[in-house]
Amino acid sequence: MFTNKIRLFIGSIFLLSLILLVYLRLYEFAIVAITMILLLVWDYFKQGTLVVAAKSFHHKEYNDAERFLLQIKKPEWLSKNRRGYYEFLMGGVCLQKQDYEDAEKHYEIAAQYPLRSVNDHVAALAHVANISIRQGNFEKAEAFLQLTDKHHEKINAKMKDVIERLRQELKKHAK
């Protein structure tokens, strides 16, 4: 929820208050300060700057989104729900930069984790299929499009249309 600089600033304030509270022998309040510092550390490892990056991504500020995503040094330490969304956002940033290999890699990883909605999960699968078609890997594209079939009833009409267009594109190349 915070950038790393803000998290460090807030942590410093709590550390200074902890020192002051221990000096004043207000141990009950010192425990609260310790709890807040631990909460900030936990938030750093389990959520990172993902919320800020998502906000930038949704406002189409892709450079800012990438900068915030790159502040997460070890994405594998993110919580299970956050890791999928991290990979989904990073795939979108790579797609905007036209770095298709990295985008494909990130979307493949995102599809292995729970995302916000079924549409997001199917979108990750569809992105991998689309990139695979563009790179001439039609078997892989077909495999990922087949993975979207089990979610067919739960996705919206726009996503169904995207999948249908990908299937038509795949049929053109299969001939």
Short mmCIF file of all heavy atoms in Angstrom, two decimals, residues 70-94:
data_model
loop_
_atom_site.label_atom_id
_atom_site.label_comp_id
_atom_site.label_asym_id
_atom_site.label_seq_id
_atom_site.Cartn_x
_atom_site.Cartn_y
_atom_site.Cartn_z
N LEU A 70 9.30 -2.87 -9.98
CA LEU A 70 10.72 -3.22 -9.84
C LEU A 70 11.25 -2.97 -8.43
O LEU A 70 12.31 -3.46 -8.08
CB LEU A 70 11.56 -2.46 -10.87
CG LEU A 70 11.36 -2.91 -12.32
CD1 LEU A 70 12.14 -2.01 -13.27
CD2 LEU A 70 11.71 -4.37 -12.51
N GLN A 71 10.50 -2.21 -7.62
CA GLN A 71 10.89 -2.04 -6.22
C GLN A 71 10.67 -3.31 -5.42
O GLN A 71 11.21 -3.45 -4.33
CB GLN A 71 10.10 -0.89 -5.58
CG GLN A 71 10.53 0.47 -6.04
CD GLN A 71 9.76 1.58 -5.35
OE1 GLN A 71 9.04 1.36 -4.39
NE2 GLN A 71 9.91 2.79 -5.87
N ILE A 72 9.90 -4.22 -5.95
CA ILE A 72 9.68 -5.51 -5.29
C ILE A 72 10.86 -6.40 -5.68
O ILE A 72 10.93 -6.90 -6.80
CB ILE A 72 8.34 -6.13 -5.71
CG1 ILE A 72 7.19 -5.20 -5.32
CG2 ILE A 72 8.16 -7.51 -5.08
CD1 ILE A 72 5.84 -5.61 -5.87
N LYS A 73 11.79 -6.56 -4.77
CA LYS A 73 13.03 -7.27 -5.08
C LYS A 73 12.85 -8.78 -5.22
O LYS A 73 13.50 -9.42 -6.02
CB LYS A 73 14.09 -6.98 -4.00
CG LYS A 73 14.44 -5.52 -3.87
CD LYS A 73 15.09 -4.99 -5.11
CE LYS A 73 15.51 -3.54 -4.89
NZ LYS A 73 15.45 -2.77 -6.10
N LYS A 74 11.98 -9.37 -4.42
CA LYS A 74 11.76 -10.82 -4.44
C LYS A 74 10.27 -11.09 -4.60
O LYS A 74 9.56 -11.29 -3.61
CB LYS A 74 12.27 -11.45 -3.15
CG LYS A 74 13.74 -11.23 -2.90
CD LYS A 74 14.42 -12.54 -2.87
CE LYS A 74 15.88 -12.30 -2.50
NZ LYS A 74 16.75 -13.12 -3.26
N PRO A 75 9.77 -11.12 -5.83
CA PRO A 75 8.34 -11.34 -6.03
C PRO A 75 7.87 -12.70 -5.50
O PRO A 75 6.71 -12.85 -5.14
CB PRO A 75 8.14 -11.26 -7.53
CG PRO A 75 9.45 -11.01 -8.14
CD PRO A 75 10.47 -10.86 -7.07
N GLU A 76 8.78 -13.65 -5.39
CA GLU A 76 8.39 -14.97 -4.88
C GLU A 76 8.01 -14.91 -3.40
O GLU A 76 7.39 -15.83 -2.88
CB GLU A 76 9.47 -16.02 -5.13
CG GLU A 76 10.81 -15.71 -4.54
CD GLU A 76 11.74 -14.86 -5.41
OE1 GLU A 76 11.31 -14.37 -6.45
OE2 GLU A 76 12.90 -14.71 -5.00
N TRP A 77 8.38 -13.84 -2.71
CA TRP A 77 8.01 -13.69 -1.30
C TRP A 77 6.64 -13.05 -1.11
O TRP A 77 6.14 -12.99 0.01
CB TRP A 77 9.06 -12.86 -0.56
CG TRP A 77 10.36 -13.57 -0.35
CD1 TRP A 77 10.68 -14.85 -0.70
CD2 TRP A 77 11.53 -13.04 0.27
NE1 TRP A 77 11.97 -15.14 -0.36
CE2 TRP A 77 12.52 -14.04 0.24
CE3 TRP A 77 11.84 -11.81 0.82
CZ2 TRP A 77 13.78 -13.84 0.76
CZ3 TRP A 77 13.10 -11.62 1.34
CH2 TRP A 77 14.06 -12.63 1.31
N LEU A 78 6.05 -12.55 -2.18
CA LEU A 78 4.71 -11.96 -2.07
C LEU A 78 3.71 -13.04 -1.68
O LEU A 78 3.92 -14.22 -1.93
CB LEU A 78 4.29 -11.34 -3.40
CG LEU A 78 5.07 -10.11 -3.86
CD1 LEU A 78 4.67 -9.75 -5.28
CD2 LEU A 78 4.85 -8.94 -2.92
N SER A 79 2.60 -12.61 -1.09
CA SER A 79 1.56 -13.58 -0.75
C SER A 79 1.01 -14.21 -2.02
O SER A 79 1.16 -13.66 -3.12
CB SER A 79 0.44 -12.91 0.04
OG SER A 79 -0.26 -11.99 -0.76
N LYS A 80 0.40 -15.34 -1.88
CA LYS A 80 -0.07 -16.11 -3.04
C LYS A 80 -1.00 -15.28 -3.93
O LYS A 80 -0.87 -15.29 -5.15
CB LYS A 80 -0.79 -17.36 -2.53
CG LYS A 80 -1.23 -18.31 -3.60
CD LYS A 80 -1.88 -19.53 -2.98
CE LYS A 80 -2.42 -20.45 -4.04
NZ LYS A 80 -3.11 -21.59 -3.45
N ASN A 81 -1.92 -14.55 -3.32
CA ASN A 81 -2.84 -13.74 -4.10
C ASN A 81 -2.14 -12.56 -4.78
O ASN A 81 -2.52 -12.16 -5.88
CB ASN A 81 -3.97 -13.21 -3.22
CG ASN A 81 -4.88 -14.31 -2.75
OD1 ASN A 81 -5.00 -15.35 -3.40
ND2 ASN A 81 -5.52 -14.12 -1.61
N ARG A 82 -1.15 -12.01 -4.14
CA ARG A 82 -0.44 -10.85 -4.70
C ARG A 82 0.54 -11.25 -5.79
O ARG A 82 0.79 -10.49 -6.71
CB ARG A 82 0.29 -10.09 -3.59
CG ARG A 82 -0.61 -9.51 -2.56
CD ARG A 82 -1.48 -8.46 -3.15
NE ARG A 82 -2.24 -7.79 -2.11
CZ ARG A 82 -3.14 -6.88 -2.36
NH1 ARG A 82 -3.40 -6.53 -3.59
NH2 ARG A 82 -3.79 -6.32 -1.39
N ARG A 83 1.11 -12.43 -5.70
CA ARG A 83 2.11 -12.86 -6.69
C ARG A 83 1.49 -12.95 -8.07
O ARG A 83 2.07 -12.50 -9.06
CB ARG A 83 2.71 -14.20 -6.28
CG ARG A 83 3.66 -14.81 -7.31
CD ARG A 83 4.97 -14.03 -7.38
NE ARG A 83 5.79 -14.43 -8.51
CZ ARG A 83 6.64 -15.45 -8.53
NH1 ARG A 83 6.78 -16.19 -7.46
NH2 ARG A 83 7.33 -15.72 -9.60
N GLY A 84 0.30 -13.51 -8.17
CA GLY A 84 -0.36 -13.60 -9.47
C GLY A 84 -0.64 -12.24 -10.06
O GLY A 84 -0.45 -12.01 -11.26
N TYR A 85 -1.08 -11.33 -9.22
CA TYR A 85 -1.39 -9.99 -9.71
C TYR A 85 -0.11 -9.25 -10.09
O TYR A 85 -0.09 -8.49 -11.07
CB TYR A 85 -2.19 -9.23 -8.66
CG TYR A 85 -2.94 -8.07 -9.23
CD1 TYR A 85 -3.78 -8.22 -10.33
CD2 TYR A 85 -2.81 -6.80 -8.70
CE1 TYR A 85 -4.46 -7.15 -10.88
CE2 TYR A 85 -3.48 -5.72 -9.23
CZ TYR A 85 -4.30 -5.91 -10.32
OH TYR A 85 -4.98 -4.84 -10.86
N TYR A 86 0.97 -9.47 -9.35
CA TYR A 86 2.27 -8.89 -9.71
C TYR A 86 2.67 -9.34 -11.11
O TYR A 86 3.05 -8.53 -11.96
CB TYR A 86 3.34 -9.31 -8.69
CG TYR A 86 4.75 -9.04 -9.15
CD1 TYR A 86 5.33 -7.79 -8.94
CD2 TYR A 86 5.50 -10.02 -9.80
CE1 TYR A 86 6.62 -7.53 -9.36
CE2 TYR A 86 6.79 -9.77 -10.23
CZ TYR A 86 7.35 -8.52 -10.01
OH TYR A 86 8.63 -8.26 -10.45
N GLU A 87 2.58 -10.65 -11.36
CA GLU A 87 2.97 -11.18 -12.67
C GLU A 87 2.05 -10.66 -13.77
O GLU A 87 2.50 -10.37 -14.88
CB GLU A 87 2.98 -12.71 -12.64
CG GLU A 87 3.97 -13.32 -11.68
CD GLU A 87 5.43 -13.09 -12.03
OE1 GLU A 87 5.74 -12.65 -13.15
OE2 GLU A 87 6.28 -13.36 -11.15
N PHE A 88 0.76 -10.54 -13.46
CA PHE A 88 -0.21 -10.02 -14.43
C PHE A 88 0.14 -8.59 -14.81
O PHE A 88 0.16 -8.23 -16.00
CB PHE A 88 -1.62 -10.10 -13.85
CG PHE A 88 -2.71 -9.75 -14.81
CD1 PHE A 88 -3.15 -10.68 -15.73
CD2 PHE A 88 -3.29 -8.50 -14.79
CE1 PHE A 88 -4.16 -10.37 -16.63
CE2 PHE A 88 -4.30 -8.18 -15.68
CZ PHE A 88 -4.74 -9.11 -16.60
N LEU A 89 0.42 -7.75 -13.81
CA LEU A 89 0.78 -6.35 -14.08
C LEU A 89 2.11 -6.25 -14.81
O LEU A 89 2.26 -5.45 -15.75
CB LEU A 89 0.84 -5.55 -12.78
CG LEU A 89 -0.48 -5.28 -12.09
CD1 LEU A 89 -0.24 -4.55 -10.78
CD2 LEU A 89 -1.43 -4.51 -12.96
N MET A 90 3.08 -7.06 -14.40
CA MET A 90 4.38 -7.02 -15.05
C MET A 90 4.26 -7.48 -16.51
O MET A 90 4.92 -6.94 -17.40
CB MET A 90 5.39 -7.89 -14.29
CG MET A 90 6.81 -7.71 -14.78
SD MET A 90 7.43 -6.02 -14.70
CE MET A 90 8.30 -6.07 -13.17
N GLY A 91 3.40 -8.46 -16.76
CA GLY A 91 3.14 -8.89 -18.13
C GLY A 91 2.54 -7.76 -18.94
O GLY A 91 2.91 -7.55 -20.11
N GLY A 92 1.62 -7.01 -18.35
CA GLY A 92 1.02 -5.87 -19.05
C GLY A 92 2.04 -4.78 -19.35
O GLY A 92 2.02 -4.19 -20.44
N VAL A 93 2.93 -4.52 -18.43
CA VAL A 93 3.98 -3.52 -18.64
C VAL A 93 4.91 -3.98 -19.77
O VAL A 93 5.26 -3.20 -20.65
CB VAL A 93 4.76 -3.25 -17.34
CG1 VAL A 93 6.03 -2.46 -17.60
CG2 VAL A 93 3.88 -2.53 -16.33
N CYS A 94 5.30 -5.25 -19.74
CA CYS A 94 6.17 -5.78 -20.79
C CYS A 94 5.48 -5.75 -22.15
O CYS A 94 6.11 -5.47 -23.17
CB CYS A 94 6.60 -7.21 -20.46
SG CYS A 94 7.73 -7.33 -19.07
#
